Amino acid sequence: SVDKSETTNIETTLIAEPPSTLIDTTSVDKSERANIETTLIAEPPSTLIATTSVDKSERANIEITLIAEPSSTRIDTTSVDKSETTNIETTLIAEHRYNFS
């Protein structure tokens, strides 16, 4: 969580073996520039939850990637309030073989 920052850069990567629950919650409030990149990767059966919130940012760039096979649950909740320029890119990949060895 970040509050009242001129420039905010947050990069989060979570990788887990099954069965897993990966939860990422990122919140930015009153940042002139917010850059958020979140990547969650897990083999099934897993649950991936990414919750991203940006409030009162002049520019917000958000990139969310959730990688899990079809038997896993993928939830992405992104909210932006009072941003002059917002770019959101969400990628849900359902077929992925990740080598944990």
Side-chain angles (χ1 to χ4, degrees), residues 34-81:
N35 300 301
I36 301 167
E37 183 177 328
T38 302
T39 303
L40 306 181
I41 302 170
E43 293 259 338
S46 296
T47 300
L48 287 68
I49 302 171
T51 303
T52 306
S53 173
V54 176
D55 190 23
K56 299 176 187 158
S57 176
E58 189 175 310
R59 287 187 299 261
N61 296 305
I62 301 168
E63 184 177 325
I64 308 294
T65 304
L66 305 181
I67 301 172
E69 295 200 9
S71 61
S72 294
T73 302
R74 296 166 307 281
I75 301 170
D76 169 48
T77 305
T78 303
S79 67
V80 178
D81 189 25

